[in-house]
Amino acid sequence: MRRLLSSVLMVVVSLVLAGCRREPLLFSESNARAHVSMLAGTIGSRAIGTPENARARAYVVDQLQLYGFDVRVQEADARRPELGRTARVANVIATLQGSRSDALGLVAHYDSAPEAPGAADDGLGVAVVLEAARVYAARPNRPWTLMVLVTDGEEAGLMGAAALMTDREVTRRLKAYLQVEAAGSDGPALLFETGPANGWIVGPWARRAPHPRGASFAIEIYKRLPNDTDFSIIKRQDIPGLNFAPVGDSYAYHTARDTPERLSSRTLTDTGENLSSLLAAFDTIDITARSPVTPTYFDLGGVTAVSYGPVASSSLTALALVLGVIAWVRTTAAAIRTAGLGRWLMTIAWSIVASVVVVLAMIGVTWALRAAREVYHPWYAHPDRLFVLMLAVGVTAGWCMSRLGQWLPPRAHGLRHPVVAWTVALPLWIVLASIALWLLPGAAYLWTLPLLTAGILLTFAPLPGEPWVRAASVVVLAVAGTLWLRDTVDLMRFIVAVLGRLPIVTPVFVYAAIMSSAGLMLAPPFIAVIATTRPLLRPSAVTALCLMTVAVAAALAYRAPAYTHDQPLRRYVRALQNGSAGIATWEVASLEPGLDLGVGAPGGWTLESSAPVAGIPWGRLPQPFVFRTSGPSIGPPPVSLGPITREPVAGGIELSVTVTPQHPGITVSFVLPAGLVPARHNLPGLMRLGRWTAVYVALPAEGVLFRASFPTAAAPRLTEVVVVATSTRFPGGEGWQSLPAWIPQDHAVWGAAASWALTAPVADSAPLR
């Protein structure tokens, strides 16, 4: 027992005291910055299949060859049947031989979203991978082979990674890998995902990364978000890995604002130094080891980190629950002895009511701010102002509830003693820790470690001694603050940006729910620290100060612009044209109801709630506000179609059609008539809105042939096959995105798609029976 308590105390102390800073290796931020400038500045947006994509690939190949790597390019038609998608990709596979053939990998993707220059996503990843590879290549006596895997088509559905996992050399030699992604342009790169059989691979990060940032609770959040990276494909091969990404300043993610100058030097430096240090750390580790253990891990102020396995986690949790119950019994008994059972029960009841009022007040002020403004997300560009307002309103509501308690009969007045806060908090913490252990195991430490600290200190502290309880509460507050405060602030800022790109109007309770979750862990020890049995000095002054703070915070939140150039509104424009018709169906969508288009825009826009009648599975844009009109033609199709050929084969008939692009970066969809499903097909497809559809992303210059077999009875319906060609560039558009001239871009960024629904003539190769 003594040994176990010693181990527990060491963990607790490590949460309060930051460890010594680890020295990074010679990673050059200026070199990495030059790579980003070339990829996202000189070259620009590098969407799959475009000339810019090919230039970026050539640059990466040249750099790796310069560092002494053996480089080859894997060109393949990547297939993902679960998406009904095919893509022509070109992955860069570079190898630097070590004393053993088993390889450690560095993974990033060099393509970008079509609407973004991709400085952070994933110019950052490519830049730090290249520079870390240079540093590693200069080291003598390398025990492991290093494979640098720079994929294509990640933004098109992880297509490059899908092709990479068909390369036998890669799957045979790769034993562990580090991947760098990006969801933001600032802040340190978080360790937000770990691969299977990863118990041994997190330890080096905790011990050796000079700027560790990340926590296992992020895994629980990430797997509930509609996001994937190449990591999702590679981990299916049971190759352990670590996935890093910065999330600060996430407004630029997948937008035209993701530029080199926006990517912070701190992000480049910290990410690169971590990567270089981890490569060195793996020199003394057996990367071929496998373990079913999934560790709990978290950083402490970005200076050091803690990692421990499930045995330690279970032991700490069990001890926390046991000591938590003991501490609750002791504090409750002390409170009842001090104030009596009735007054204690009234204090508990009033505390619960006050907590509900505080949460409702924060929700209410969020609703009021929205109702007072002309937009649904008035806090988007300056969320900190909303958070300060919510905090001020919450504190004021709690204070007013405490003052209202003075109007109760004297025997029902609440007990202002530090021990009372723990009689309320401990049972709640015990329940939350138990639920988290069951539903969110990677995040359970957020509740169990503060509970363990409180359990230890309040089990052995002299009660109801006010100084002793207050001192214990200071320690618990330090532990809870270390675990909760910084991550909560970062999470709330990140959630604002994430919700800004999801097709929903943000519910007004979201931010209050997050703040309340943190408040449940931070408020009780804080109240216990400041609570006193002595009479309050000038409570009216405190009330006035709270009201003044609310007024100032409300004014600042109200006056903040909802959207700015650097924190823009995300909007979408698309058009569909049937063949070479003189008109097209146009749609504009966003999270806000305004239309505000420029001079030259089509007229007659109407707010729509249903999909257009298009003859193909075009569907409705998912944003809550979609405006539609009929407008001018978007020009001639960017592809040429060969005739549809119907050829009799054994047991049925085979359809063939060839599509050849006239411009790079074109996506085509082969859409069959409703209810018709091929028996065999050369491209994967699936049902989309009732029509079987096969998608080919980034048509190669030589075009693509689609073949599918059907029963003979389906032959007459095969003339109804539609080929949809889609481009992210509008013919005759302005700027590097080729957007229509009437698109406003000062405070908005746009995703765009121009589509042509084409039917091909029929040329039967033989008479049909």
Side-chain angles (χ1 to χ4, degrees), residues 671-687:
V671 183
L672 300 184
L676 195 61
V677 177
R680 293 186 301 276
H681 41 88
N682 69 325
L683 299 178
L686 46 72
M687 297 299 293

Side-chain angles (χ1 to χ4, degrees), residues 56-372:
R57 179 170 62 253
Y59 176 78
V60 171
V61 169
D62 288 345
Q63 294 300 307
L64 289 168
Q65 288 177 337
L66 181 65
Y67 303 153
F69 283 76
D70 180 20
V71 185
R72 61 187 174 91
V73 175
Q74 179 203 26
E75 295 185 354
D77 277 351
R79 297 168 182 257
R80 293 196 63 190
E82 68 274 23
L83 301 180
R85 179 171 296 192
T86 307
R88 178 67 57 86
V89 298
N91 296 322
V92 178
I93 301 174
T95 305
L96 184 68
Q97 189 64 43
S99 59
R100 294 184 57 174
S101 63
D102 295 321
L104 178 65
L106 294 177
V107 181
H109 67 89
Y110 68 88
D111 68 306
S112 70
E115 63 273 17
D121 185 22
D122 193 24
L124 165 70
V126 176
V128 298
V129 161
L130 289 177
E131 178 58 11
R134 181 194 67 81
V135 173
Y136 189 80
R139 299 178 65 243
N141 304 320
R142 299 178 297 269
W144 306 109
T145 294
L146 180 64
M147 299 187 82
V148 177
L149 308 171
V150 188
T151 63
D152 189 13
E154 194 270 354
E155 303 293 0
L158 317 182
M159 302 307 293
L164 188 68
M165 292 298 97
T166 66
D167 189 282
R168 292 187 177 181
E169 182 187 8
V170 172
T171 56
R172 176 177 58 85
R173 301 183 68 180
L174 187 64
K175 303 303 179 185
Y177 64 104
L178 308 173
Q179 177 173 303
V180 181
E181 261 286 353
S185 302
D186 194 15
L190 294 169
L191 174 56
F192 71 97
E193 187 179 17
T194 61
N198 66 340
W200 61 271
I201 200 172
V202 177
W205 168 81
R207 295 189 301 269
R208 297 289 298 276
H211 316 285
R213 188 77 175 96
S216 50
F217 82 83
I219 298 175
E220 303 292 350
I221 295 176
Y222 179 72
K223 66 186 181 183
R224 290 166 173 82
L225 293 177
N227 295 90
D228 276 308
T229 69
D230 286 343
F231 201 93
S232 303
I233 301 295
I234 301 174
K235 71 180 181 181
R236 296 177 186 175
Q237 303 295 320
D238 291 328
I239 305 172
L242 302 177
N243 200 2
F244 300 91
V247 299
D249 187 21
S250 193
Y251 295 101
Y253 176 73
H254 281 193
T255 76
R257 307 293 194 264
D258 186 11
T259 56
E261 56 271 16
R262 184 154 185 165
L263 181 61
S264 77
S265 295
R266 175 194 172 195
T267 300
L268 270 173
T269 302
D270 287 5
T271 306
E273 290 180 350
N274 282 346
L275 214 63
S276 297
S277 297
L278 283 173
L279 286 177
F282 284 124
D283 280 356
T284 59
I285 295 174
D286 182 7
I287 66 172
T288 65
R290 294 295 179 265
S291 167
V293 171
T294 300
T296 296
Y297 64 90
F298 51 90
D299 74 278
L300 301 171
V303 177
T304 189
V306 175
S307 173
Y308 51 88
V311 174
S313 178
S314 299
S315 301
L316 292 173
T317 300
L319 189 60
L321 294 175
V322 170
L323 292 177
V325 170
I326 295 173
W328 179 69
V329 171
R330 292 190 78 232
T331 55
T332 300
I336 294 174
R337 285 196 305 270
T338 302
L341 179 61
R343 191 177 178 190
W344 174 77
L345 289 174
M346 181 60 71
T347 302
I348 298 297
W350 196 256
S351 299
I352 294 173
V353 171
S355 299
V356 173
V357 169
V358 167
V359 174
L360 292 178
M362 291 193 295
I363 295 174
V365 76
T366 306
W367 174 87
L369 181 61
R370 168 178 285 173

Side-chain angles (χ1 to χ4, degrees), residues 559-697:
R559 292 179 60 84
Y563 302 99
T564 65
H565 181 271
D566 289 333
Q567 295 85 23
L569 173 65
R570 292 171 184 257
R571 304 180 71 180
Y572 302 86
V573 58
R574 68 174 183 172
L576 174 65
Q577 178 174 301
N578 286 303
S580 56
I583 60 173
T585 300
W586 289 79
E587 287 188 340
V588 169
S590 78
L591 302 182
E592 302 289 353
L595 195 57
D596 65 321
L597 301 176
V599 177
W605 296 91
T606 58
L607 185 64
E608 300 289 344
S609 59
S610 59
V613 179
I616 61 168
W618 205 41
R620 179 189 181 276
L621 284 169
Q623 282 67 35
F625 301 100
V626 179
F627 296 88
R628 185 181 305 141
T629 191
S630 294
S633 166
I634 54 177
V639 298
S640 59
L641 265 63
I644 291 178
T645 300
R646 297 177 297 178
E647 180 178 359
V649 293
I653 188 169
E654 183 177 80
L655 172 145
S656 300
V657 59
T658 300
V659 183
T660 305
Q662 297 177 359
H663 306 290
I666 303 298
T667 295
V668 295
S669 302
F670 300 92
V671 183
L672 300 184
L676 195 61
V677 177
R680 293 186 301 276
H681 41 88
N682 69 325
L683 299 178
L686 46 72
M687 297 299 293
R688 301 177 190 273
L689 301 176
R691 307 281 291 271
W692 191 94
T693 304
V695 178
Y696 196 108
V697 181

